[in-house]
Amino acid sequence: GTSLSQPFATLSKAAGLANPGNLIYLRGGAYHWTAKVSLSRSGSAAQPIRVCAYPGEQPTLDFSGQAFSSSNRGIEIPGNWWCLYGLEIVGAGDNGIYVTGKSNTLERCVAHDCRDSGFQLHSGAAYNLVLNCDSYRNYDQNNNAAGLTVDLNTAWANGSKNFNLNHGAVTQGVHVIRNNVSIAGGSTDSFAGGTLQTNNSWQVLSPSASTTDFLSVSVDLALAPRRDDGGLPETPFFRPAPNGRL
């Protein structure tokens, strides 16, 4: 709805009515949905459409009731100029968040235990930004089509590749991959030719990062809430081991 006292029951309802500049708040708690959410409308550069966790609360979108199927995604974004902030996506039958639109931002979002990619940007997606997001225990993850910036993300223990941005020619812009950590993926990360990579764990370390390079890789520490600025909490998780290679 248009007020906290009269909310819509679903994100799909709000998204279907959203116009450029609108802000959609999701209150804290678990939402158990089996139908994917499609964000098909579009904002603009000056007025993106924002979908945000309500301040101080954590909404969890639980799609674990979906059957395993390539059509059963959690959130699908064919639209442009959407900003998703602070959402947790769980157990989708395919991708947690699937983006085919342009100029969208995923910030401080978490996708886990999905049955395909945590975050997948594909089929014409371009000029999108993934910032301070976490993806784990997914079957595959972080696939993309074109012009993606991936910055300050952590990916570990995914069933296939942690980062896979090698799905055909990049026809719009280039991939920019910087300041990311990849550890214990099912196979080697893959990037399209021309991808600009800076200060990522697979560049800093040779051979690749392993558990001995860090003080801790405890999942419990990794899942602690991020700081207000989106950074990881102050824990030993992925902190360089003293006198180590980092």
Side-chain angles (χ1 to χ4, degrees), residues 11-45:
L11 174 57
S12 292
K13 176 67 174 180
L17 298 172
N19 292 310
N22 283 168
L23 167 62
I24 301 171
Y25 273 134
L26 285 176
R27 300 301 302 265
Y31 299 86
H32 298 274
W33 295 330
T34 55
K36 71 181 176 184
V37 177
S38 181
L39 308 182
S40 58
R41 298 171 73 89
S42 291
S44 67

Side-chain angles (χ1 to χ4, degrees), residues 94-106:
D94 193 68
N95 314 121
I97 299 178
Y98 180 82
V99 182
T100 57
K102 298 177 174 63
S103 302
N104 299 290
T105 298
L106 309 178

Side-chain angles (χ1 to χ4, degrees), residues 68 92-97 111-122 134-144 155-167 185-190:
F68 173 63
D94 193 68
N95 314 121
I97 299 178
H112 63 91
D113 296 291
C114 298
R115 282 158 280 180
D116 202 315
S117 306
F119 305 105
Q120 180 161 323
L121 296 92
H122 198 54
D134 294 313
S135 178
Y136 58 92
R137 290 202 303 262
N138 301 294
Y139 177 77
D140 189 5
Q141 75 117 13
N142 290 336
N143 302 323
N144 184 62
W156 72 95
N158 290 285
S160 183
K161 298 172 174 127
N162 281 330
F163 294 95
N164 188 356
L165 291 91
N166 193 17
H167 290 262
S187 58
T188 303
D189 298 322
S190 181

